[in-house]
């Protein structure tokens, strides 16, 4: 198939890396946010809970880096036309969901970073501690973690809509939309 039937290869690789990282971030984040440290530690053990916190923050910062690369590969290279063209309604809905996902996936790690730093916790990236950049402010941290939780649910809704849309094109309309992002054909 001609290259212009697809997003460029690096953009497709970034799509699937971000997709996997977002699903794991949502799963670990929702577990930690719902149970809190104590109950997560009772359920899974303290060592594993600490790994979940470090892993969640590391993945979150990684998503921020990958999204930066992704925005570059999105704006710097041609996006393939839809063939056949999408119905105008589908085009508006899918574009809106894509744009909202981009905005949410940049804001989410920044809010998580700021909430963590203002709470006086380390901003961990693997075994490094990144600069918090903001001074301790427990009240601000609580507000930011509130936004982090709210945006987490919003991302879950957007991803669900997006995946339902992709499945609709792939299994029901059987058009070429899924191929645009496929790594294999
Ligand atoms: C796109 C990236 C991210 C996603 C999708 C994500 C998702 C989530 C979600 C859904 C929660 C649960 C919130 C709740 O119910 O209270 C959460 C909690 C948390 N997130 Fe993130 N997060 C991301 C990035 C980050 C980053 C970069 C950091 C810090 C450097 C971070 C630190 C935390 C912490 C410490 C919690 C636990 C809060 C608590 O115990 O109440 N997150 N995250
Ligand atoms: C957390 C998971 C996911 C996120 C955050 C996500 C995000 C995105 C975004 C923002 C786009 C717009 C294209 C661009 O990058 O500019 C896109 C395109 C696409 N995604 Fe996903 N995606 C996820 C999971 C999936 C899954 C599971 C599938 C397949 C079942 C899928 C299939 C597609 C397809 C086919 C396109 C191309 C649509 C088009 O351009 O018309 N995505 N994705």
């Amino acid at each position: 198939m001609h290259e212009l039937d697809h997003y460029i290869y690096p953009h497709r690789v970034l799509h699937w890396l971000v997709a996997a990282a977002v699903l794991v971030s949502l799963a670990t984040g929702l577990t930690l946010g719902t149970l809190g440290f104590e109950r997560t530690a009772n359920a899974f053990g303290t060592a594993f809970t600490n790994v979940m916190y470090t892993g969640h923050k590391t993945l979150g910062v990684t998503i921020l880096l990958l999204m930066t690369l992704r925005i570059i590969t999105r704006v710097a290279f041609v996006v393939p036309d839809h063939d056949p063209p999408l119905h105008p309604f589908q085009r508006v809905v899918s574009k809106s969901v894509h744009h909202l996902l981009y905005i949410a996936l940049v804001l989410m790690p920044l809010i998580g970073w700021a909430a963590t730093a203002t709470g006086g916790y380390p901003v961990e990236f693997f075994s490094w501690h990144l600069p918090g950049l903001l001074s301790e402010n427990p009240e601000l941290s609580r507000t930011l973690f509130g936004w982090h939780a709210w945006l987490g649910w919003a991302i879950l809704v957007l991803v669900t809509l997006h995946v339902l849309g992709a499945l609709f094109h792939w299994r029901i309309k059987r058009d070429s939309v899924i191929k645009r992002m496929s790594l294999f054909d």
Side-chain angles (χ1 to χ4, degrees), residues 135-148:
S135 48
E136 221 173 301
N137 181 340
E139 201 173 319
L140 178 59
S141 173
R142 264 193 301 280
T143 307
L144 291 171
F145 270 126
W147 293 358
H148 197 66

Side-chain angles (χ1 to χ4, degrees), residues 15-16 94 98 158-179 181:
H15 172 270
W16 293 108
S94 72
H98 293 165
L158 288 171
V159 167
T160 306
L161 287 175
H162 176 70
V163 173
L164 287 176
L167 291 177
F168 169 73
H169 283 285
W170 187 22
R171 304 310 305 169
I172 295 175
K173 278 192 84 188
R174 294 181 181 273
D175 56 20
S176 58
V177 168
I178 195 80
K179 285 206 167 136
M181 217 30 119

